[in-house]
Amino acid sequence: DTAVSQTPKYLVTQMGNDKSIKCEQNLGHDTMYWYKQDSKKFLKIMFSYNNKELIINETVPNRFSPKSPDKAHLNLHINSLELGDSAVYFCASSQGKGEGPRGYTFGSGTRLTVV
Amino acid sequence: AQSVTQLGSHVSVSEGALVLLRCNYSSSVPPYLFWYVQYPNQGLQLLLKYTSAATLVKGINGFEAEFKKSETSFHLTKPSAHMSDAAEYFCAVTPRGTGKLIFGQGTTLQVKP
């Protein structure tokens, strides 16, 4: 029973397209995140939602729009995809700000390739 | 701004040898500190977390890390490397109250037979 699940696992698309990545967690956490891992494996936070409210919005192009229909789901929509958007996108969740003993739980990632 | 530095982007050890992966953070107030492991084509798995309860933190798979405030370090160790330990290891911090994980650059651990 996967705790944080993302779909799709792989996504190959052409430049200029619009795509979405979905994330769901069944841990009962109230906070969810999107992280981006670039080709050099560097991980950086993009967004965070707490109970459907946006609380962290890093310097990310406005082509990226997160949506949280409820506290168990956080989707990432990307408009007008560019080559530089190719990366692995990780969803994560936590209770509160991750200060509990288990911290943050990550999904297995979505590898996005823009061609 | 808070930052994390992992010394050595690539560490190679022999099976059975000591594993030492280095991590230093910059903060005037000790943050929460984490070590995560990433196996090829997989997500991030929590190895251990420092929350100020104890300076020596034991994690999964025989790993442990020691928080040293005077050195602003949180190095990860394992007494005896196993082939299955080969992976990417990330040190990360959460400045208290932010809910934001800040990652180091990662260290690739290679284990030779």
Side-chain angles (χ1 to χ4, degrees):
Chain A
D1 205 21
T2 307
V4 180
S5 59
Q6 299 179 226
T7 54
K9 190 170 175 64
Y10 299 96
L11 183 55
V12 181
T13 187
Q14 291 188 327
M15 274 196 305
N17 283 351
D18 302 338
K19 290 292 179 186
S20 292
I21 306 171
K22 300 188 178 213
C23 179
E24 175 181 5
Q25 55 95 4
N26 63 6
L27 297 167
H29 289 165
D30 59 3
T31 308
M32 296 184 72
Y33 311 80
W34 281 111
Y35 283 81
K36 179 180 180 180
Q37 185 174 45
D38 64 22
S39 58
K40 296 183 178 175
K41 299 191 176 177
F42 183 65
L43 282 147
K44 192 170 190 301
I45 190 168
M46 300 173 71
F47 303 103
S48 173
Y49 271 76
N50 175 266
N51 282 319
K52 304 193 295 178
E53 183 179 342
L54 182 66
I55 56 171
I56 294 175
N57 186 356
E58 292 293 290
T59 309
V60 175
N62 57 15
R63 298 181 295 101
F64 289 79
S65 52
K67 293 275 192 312
S68 182
D70 56 60
K71 70 175 190 177
H73 295 83
L74 179 62
N75 304 322
L76 183 65
H77 189 76
I78 315 170
N79 289 326
S80 303
L81 278 154
E82 301 176 357
L83 292 176
D85 298 331
S86 295
V88 181
Y89 293 85
F90 285 101
C91 179
S93 72
S94 70
Q95 186 56 35
K97 293 179 178 177
E99 297 177 356
R102 298 186 67 83
Y104 307 82
T105 303
F106 282 79
S108 57
T110 296
R111 183 175 294 276
L112 171 66
T113 303
V114 182
V115 297
Chain B
Q2 192 80 229
S3 68
V4 180
T5 302
Q6 291 182 239
L7 295 173
S9 60
H10 191 101
V11 170
S12 182
V13 301
S14 297
E15 192 173 18
L18 172 72
V19 175
L20 171 60
L21 304 182
R22 299 176 188 273
C23 174
N24 288 86
Y25 67 92
S26 67
S27 175
S28 57
V29 176
Y32 294 115
L33 292 151
F34 304 78
W35 275 99
Y36 281 90
V37 61
Q38 184 179 26
Y39 297 102
N41 298 315
Q42 292 189 28
L44 295 156
Q45 181 181 6
L46 180 67
L47 278 176
L48 48 82
K49 176 185 178 184
Y50 168 76
T51 59
S52 77
T55 56
L56 184 62
V57 183
K58 293 189 184 299
I60 62 171
N61 302 340
F63 284 95
E64 62 182 36
E66 185 173 8
F67 172 72
K68 291 187 176 180
K69 184 178 177 181
S70 61
E71 298 177 6
T72 59
S73 69
F74 191 56
H75 301 333
L76 181 72
T77 60
K78 182 173 180 177
S80 176
H82 192 273
M83 296 297 291
S84 61
D85 295 326
E88 191 78 19
Y89 291 80
F90 292 95
C91 181
V93 303
T94 295
R96 297 193 184 214
T98 67
K100 184 192 301 189
L101 263 178
I102 299 169
F103 285 90
Q105 308 92 315
T107 297
T108 303
L109 175 65
Q110 179 186 25
V111 182
K112 297 179 288 187

